[in-house]
Amino acid sequence: MAFTMTTETLKGLLKEAHENGYAYPAINVSNLDTGIAAMAGLEQARSAGFIQISIGAAKQASPVNDPVEGSIVLGRVLRDLRKSQHVPIAIHTDHCHADVVDTWLVPLLKELKVLKDAGEEQIFDSFMFDGSHDEIHDNVATIRRLLPLVRDVDGLLEVEAGGKWGGMEDGVADKAVFSTPEDVKEIQRTFEDAGLTADDYLLAVAFGNAHGTAVVPDLHPELLSEIAEKTGERNLYVFHGGSGSPDDDVRAAVANGVVKMNVDTDTQYAYTAGVDGFFVEADGVQRSHREGKKFFDPRHWNAAGRKSMTEKVVEVAELLGSAGHAQSVEYRSVLDPVTAR
């Protein structure tokens, strides 16, 4: 059974995860092979999830390093790949910082509207604006500017409250600065002013996270519930920087309201480790052009990378508690009342 992803479908998935205490893997991919590996992992785990691309992946997918062109090229590949899957998969753009809003996310949303008006099937289901490095007033001003564009393409917006993340990828080598209830309340008001509720968007907050694995995260998952209590609003939280986080902290974050966890470094490593293991095993075997095609043919080592990454995605789904939920009758009825009969 193939699932048709709509905004309402995605909201239903997120609401179900929140109410039943689990979260979805959100796996960053950069090409066809990592996309196949990520989707295969969700399929094997019988878990819904997100497949997402960063601006770096988008640029790499463009012959001229254009993130808008690359997003559409890679997004179309992922959209078509998911048609062969039997679990719900959302396609998402990840971490658009303020300095690239006008060169990536805004022109991408406008081009997607043109494609939608021309009758093309939807490519992306959700989009992420990362205003965590901005002052809160600048952050919410950009959110206000993006919301109509996201609505025009029937998308869901993920945003980030103030607070600096730890990790060299974020330019913060020491401990993170935690998000505050005051900043979160400003974001909540911004969506309320647009006629939306907490069920209509995703919210990432800094609770000690670290992107990558170079910095050990100092996680305080209880902060998520504290913010919800102090703002009087339950939130659909996103856990950024899931790679390298202790399992107990991940489970605690889910128990405190996380419904989506981003994973990139761990799955990148798994893919490369699979390729490396393939060649380590091949050491000592003649690999000339005449006799070693089974080693230098990229199809073989790509398959090894896919297999290793797929296994890691299954592990993530099991840790987050989403594994197995995509096959329940109740779950199907939320997604597709016709095929659920």
Side-chain angles (χ1 to χ4, degrees):
M1 176 178 62
F3 294 94
T4 300
M5 186 62 70
T6 66
T7 305
E8 292 308 312
T9 299
L10 184 52
K11 289 179 186 177
L13 290 168
L14 295 169
K15 182 179 180 181
E16 185 172 312
H18 192 278
E19 291 177 350
N20 291 282
Y22 57 86
Y24 299 115
I27 310 299
N28 280 69
V29 303
S30 56
N31 54 28
L32 175 65
D33 285 290
T34 53
I36 290 173
M39 290 190 190
L42 294 173
E43 181 88 357
Q44 288 184 25
R46 294 182 298 153
S47 170
F50 291 76
I51 304 296
Q52 51 194 38
I53 64 173
S54 66
I55 189 171
K59 286 182 175 180
Q60 186 182 45
S62 164
V64 295
N65 214 37
D66 177 359
V68 176
E69 177 188 47
S71 294
I72 292 171
V73 168
L74 190 51
R76 281 171 169 155
V77 169
L78 297 171
R79 177 194 64 190
D80 292 344
L81 278 176
R82 74 175 172 185
K83 292 178 181 178
S84 63
Q85 308 304 312
H86 300 85
V87 296
I89 296 172
I91 302 173
H92 178 83
T93 63
D94 190 30
H95 278 290
C96 178
H97 293 279
D99 61 343
V100 291
V101 163
D102 289 312
T103 55
W104 181 30
L105 191 51
V106 167
L108 173 60
L109 289 165
K110 289 180 178 179
E111 181 61 22
L112 292 172
K113 178 64 162 61
V114 171
L115 296 174
K116 176 189 173 187
D117 290 345
E120 179 166 346
E121 184 181 353
Q122 186 160 321
I123 299 173
F124 291 98
D125 307 294
S126 53
F127 307 87
M128 196 263 166
F129 164 59
D130 182 351
S132 62
H133 296 287
D134 301 348
E135 292 297 327
I136 188 62
H137 298 297
D138 294 330
N139 188 344
V140 298
T142 304
I143 292 171
R144 288 192 191 100
R145 187 158 64 95
L146 289 172
L147 267 174
L149 299 175
V150 173
R151 284 172 142 176
D152 280 347
V153 295
D154 300 323
L156 194 74
L157 187 61
E158 176 183 330
V159 297
E160 197 163 335
K164 294 179 180 178
W165 306 86
M168 295 305 296
E169 293 179 26
D170 303 285
V172 183
D174 54 5
K175 291 184 178 180
V177 176
F178 300 103
S179 298
T180 66
E182 292 75 21
D183 282 353
V184 170
K185 192 62 184 176
E186 285 294 321
I187 288 177
Q188 291 169 341
R189 287 195 191 101
T190 301
F191 282 94
E192 289 168 6
D193 290 345
L196 301 174
T197 72
D199 290 332
D200 296 317
Y201 62 96
L202 287 158
L203 175 65
V205 299
F207 60 100
N209 318 57
H211 284 121
T213 54
V215 175
V216 177
D218 179 24
L219 295 169
H220 292 264
E222 68 279 2
L223 180 64
L224 301 170
S225 288
E226 290 175 13
I227 287 175
E229 182 178 350
K230 289 178 180 178
T231 61
E233 190 78 71
R234 78 165 179 84
N235 301 291
L236 298 175
Y237 286 122
V238 181
F239 184 162
H240 285 179
S243 295
S245 298
D247 288 359
D248 286 347
D249 282 338
V250 171
R251 294 187 187 98
V254 174
N256 281 276
V258 163
V259 295
K260 173 180 182 274
M261 186 176 83
N262 293 6
V263 181
D264 189 8
T265 303
D266 278 353
T267 45
Q268 284 179 343
Y269 179 83
Y271 187 92
T272 303
V275 174
D276 183 60
F278 175 86
F279 284 113
V280 167
E281 187 176 338
D283 275 352
V285 179
Q286 178 65 36
R287 285 183 271 167
S288 68
H289 284 349
R290 291 180 180 274
E291 300 175 28
K293 191 174 188 299
K294 68 179 180 178
F295 298 109
F296 64 73
D297 185 332
R299 289 174 295 181
H300 296 295
W301 51 262
N302 270 331
R306 285 184 192 177
K307 180 176 184 294
S308 180
M309 181 173 167
T310 293
E311 291 169 353
K312 185 63 183 179
V313 173
V314 173
E315 288 179 19
V316 172
E318 290 173 345
L319 174 61
L320 293 174
S322 63
H325 284 281
Q327 299 304 312
S328 71
V329 174
E330 294 80 11
Y331 198 97
R332 289 181 181 179
S333 65
V334 169
L335 299 168
D336 192 333
V338 175
T339 54
R341 292 173 186 165

